[in-house]
Amino acid sequence: MPASVPPVDAALVSRLRALEPSCGPVRIVAVDGPSAAGKTTFSAALAAALGGAPVVHSDDFPVPWDGEPLAWWPPLTAHVLAPLRAGRPGRFRRYDWRRGAYAEEVTVPVASVLVIEGVGSARQESPAAFRIWVEAPRAVRRRRAAGRGDDLAAWDHWAETEAKLFTADRTRERADLIIDGNFS
């Protein structure tokens, strides 16, 4: 994780640990925001500050660039959230984007805090106990997308599609915390 990522302070960690469970015995912390805003990087810092909290990423599921941004939600609900609600570990097969195939099975433990990161994770229907919105200017996000090898025409289409989702859902407006993802 780059040194320039803002540290997660002890007050936030305490606040998250004190939340009422929102999915069975688990407190779901949703980290949402547009593509390449820094959600994954921030989620890693947050999970570390929480003592190694598990993280599930939308990128763990197959969602094509030209597809529905919430295509990952039904398998997340069926294989992770439903078991956690019942007090059991969740399980899913991680999608390997480089190979274009499913990879290993991932077990999601019944932890006190679970971080769910990705577009739509903080939407209104999410069982999140706390919603974090990470944002960065579009030019920064597009540069990051290019740097990680994304097809920029597809990325531009995705950015428009996710923006419509966020507007309709009012995701940013309902966030409990907004993070500036404009770090290097």
Side-chain angles (χ1 to χ4, degrees):
M1 140 179 63
S4 60
V5 175
V8 177
D9 65 23
L12 177 60
V13 170
S14 293
R15 184 175 176 190
L16 297 177
R17 287 189 174 142
L19 293 168
E20 288 294 318
S22 60
C23 186
V26 180
R27 293 153 189 84
I28 303 288
V29 176
V31 179
D32 207 331
S35 178
K39 296 181 302 296
T40 302
T41 302
F42 179 77
S43 293
L46 180 61
L50 286 163
V55 181
V56 175
H57 306 275
S58 60
D59 286 346
D60 290 336
F61 302 88
V63 180
W65 282 114
D66 60 350
E68 163 61 42
L70 296 176
W72 67 289
W73 201 258
L76 173 79
T77 299
H79 302 291
V80 177
L81 300 178
L84 290 175
R85 250 186 225 107
R88 296 187 322 268
R91 288 182 179 74
F92 67 94
R93 296 268 320 265
R94 186 185 64 79
Y95 190 75
D96 183 332
W97 285 94
R98 294 185 198 280
R99 290 185 23 229
Y102 286 96
E104 76 280 358
E105 183 174 84
V106 175
T107 299
V108 181
V110 179
S112 70
V113 178
L114 169 65
V115 177
I116 298 179
E117 176 271 323
V119 171
S121 63
R123 68 196 191 105
Q124 189 168 6
E125 293 83 3
S126 170
F130 196 84
R131 290 169 165 79
I132 299 173
W133 176 264
V134 181
E135 62 187 10
R138 184 178 172 104
V140 169
R141 295 174 30 241
R142 196 167 196 275
R143 186 172 56 249
R144 288 176 180 165
R148 65 186 186 196
D150 292 353
D151 173 323
L152 291 182
W155 186 89
D156 287 335
H157 173 75
W158 177 268
E160 291 171 18
T161 303
E162 69 184 5
K164 291 175 187 171
L165 170 73
F166 295 139
T167 299
D169 185 69
R170 298 177 46 219
T171 314
R172 186 185 191 278
E173 295 171 43
R174 288 183 295 90
D176 298 299
L177 176 65
I178 296 174
I179 298 292
D180 179 359
N182 193 14
F183 41 77
S184 56

